[in-house]
Amino acid sequence: MHHTLPGVPMKLALISARPAMGDKEKNIQLMERYIKKTNADFYVFGEYFLTGDRCKDEYRELAESVNGPSIQRLKKIAQTKHCHLVFGMPLKDEQVNGLLYNAAVMIHPNGTVNVYKKWFLPTSGPFEEKIFFDQGEELPVFQTEFGKIGLLICYDVNFPELSKALSLQGADLLICISASPSVTRKYFETLLPARALENTVFVVYVNLAGSQEDLIYWGGSQAYDPLGNLLIKAPYIKESIVTCDINLKTLESARARRPVLRDIRPEIYLDLYQFSRFHGKKEQKE
């Protein structure tokens, strides 16, 4: 039964899986297989799930627009199953030919498509995202029948300003999709509960599992409540699907107990701009 009242529990399926590199057809079939395994309101897959990670220059051929054939097919699945789908893909810019984004896509049961373009592109060690992608500029919050949702991608979670921006716009739940190799596991497991607690929001994290070329992804998809308590965690490394029920109604009591959103001081954000732009020096007057 599908409700349209906020405050009704939503069931999330967190899918830690290994997409095939460069094979969209295979990956859509893989998504379908997981969706058939269990009933849920939301099915969440990892970063780059449509194409696989580590595709480098191939992303140019694999990228599609928001009305492209892959999203059209996934829309049909969402409508048939009456569910939301969240996954990652390389997305073409709608205006400028040749510009690509690393995007998180959310498809609603009615066929609405929302897109978040990754703000922070890791370019160090094995990561070279800035070579292939342009940075996102928008921080949208999306209304669903359950509540408001903000999307993040992987490295974004290292920048608390993003989660804060989404929470200040009323996000009840942040969904972070990821392609995190084993070496960074402890960073994510430190930051995710912090993001939940410092914003009093639910946080859901879904990672790839297994290998893509030379990297091993640690899986371990997990969910936190607005006070930073772990609700569920998937096994490390191996592929899995875990489900979790969350009730956004519990946000009110969490926010009464930890009134961080009430206690925010907006003037700090202006100061942050000055510190960041001029590295502590006072802005030069003309």
Side-chain angles (χ1 to χ4, degrees):
M1 180 178 168
H2 288 274
H3 307 271
T4 49
L5 287 173
V8 168
M10 56 196 281
K11 185 176 183 188
L12 293 131
L14 319 185
I15 295 129
S16 313
R18 180 187 177 202
M21 282 180 65
D23 193 336
K24 292 185 279 192
E25 179 56 43
K26 210 171 183 175
N27 292 331
I28 290 173
Q29 288 171 11
L30 182 59
M31 288 167 86
E32 270 191 291
R33 272 211 304 286
Y34 274 106
I35 290 163
K36 284 190 179 122
K37 282 186 184 184
T38 187
N39 280 320
D41 300 303
F42 279 77
Y43 295 87
V44 187
F45 298 86
E47 184 180 9
Y48 295 119
F49 204 86
L50 182 64
T51 58
D53 192 1
R54 317 291 286 153
C55 295
K56 307 204 180 210
D57 284 319
E58 222 186 317
Y59 283 131
R60 294 182 205 291
E61 282 76 71
L62 293 166
E64 293 183 22
S65 74
V66 78
N67 319 308
S70 295
I71 288 183
Q72 293 303 333
R73 278 187 59 192
L74 290 162
K75 256 194 206 182
K76 287 197 181 75
I77 295 168
Q79 286 167 316
T80 307
K81 182 88 178 177
H82 199 81
C83 66
H84 298 75
L85 302 179
V86 179
F87 62 95
M89 67 177 283
L91 189 77
K92 289 181 174 174
D93 188 285
E94 281 166 64
Q95 266 77 47
V96 185
N97 226 325
L99 276 191
L100 305 183
Y101 299 94
N102 178 347
V105 174
M106 177 161 69
I107 302 176
H108 298 243
N110 67 1
T112 302
V113 178
N114 300 137
V115 168
Y116 163 73
K117 297 163 183 165
K118 188 173 183 176
W119 262 58
F120 291 102
L121 303 174
T123 306
S124 64
F127 307 108
E128 40 189 33
E129 289 189 24
K130 277 188 185 165
I131 297 173
F132 307 109
F133 300 108
D134 191 12
Q135 300 178 143
E137 298 281 345
E138 286 150 357
L139 288 169
V141 168
F142 306 116
Q143 185 69 56
T144 72
E145 61 198 270
F146 299 97
K148 290 197 182 107
I149 294 181
L151 301 177
L152 295 167
I153 303 175
C154 207
Y155 189 48
D156 284 340
V157 94
N158 288 271
F159 299 88
E161 302 80 15
L162 290 193
S163 299
K164 186 69 74 204
L166 297 171
S167 305
L168 289 173
Q169 293 179 77
D172 303 307
L173 162 66
L174 303 179
I175 296 176
C176 178
I177 62 169
S178 185
S180 163
S182 295
V183 64
T184 55
R185 174 171 68 84
K186 67 175 191 301
Y187 305 152
F188 282 91
E189 295 197 320
T190 304
L191 293 173
L192 292 162
R195 295 293 162 266
L197 180 59
E198 73 195 0
N199 296 298
T200 50
V201 286
F202 285 94
V203 170
V204 165
Y205 172 80
V206 172
N207 193 18
L208 302 185
S211 62
Q212 305 264 284
E213 266 194 346
D214 51 338
L215 293 184
I216 306 286
Y217 298 83
W218 56 274
S221 298
Q222 45 203 272
Y224 293 87
D225 78 5
L227 295 175
N229 300 304
L230 181 67
L231 299 172
I232 192 151
K233 187 190 286 191
Y236 294 143
I237 309 295
K238 67 175 203 266
E239 297 192 52
S240 69
I241 178 167
V242 296
T243 60
C244 166
D245 289 300
I246 65 177
N247 191 338
L248 299 178
K249 223 178 169 50
T250 59
L251 283 167
E252 284 188 28
S253 59
R255 287 173 179 176
R257 282 179 63 188
R258 303 291 301 169
V260 286
L261 293 177
R262 180 198 73 192
D263 291 342
I264 272 170
R265 307 256 323 264
E267 56 272 38
I268 191 78
Y269 297 110
L270 195 56
D271 295 341
L272 278 176
Y273 172 76
Q274 296 289 354
F275 300 147
S276 173
R277 181 80 174 74
F278 303 101
H279 296 292
K281 295 195 293 290
K282 279 280 178 233
E283 186 178 348
Q284 302 305 309
K285 294 277 179 277
E286 286 298 307

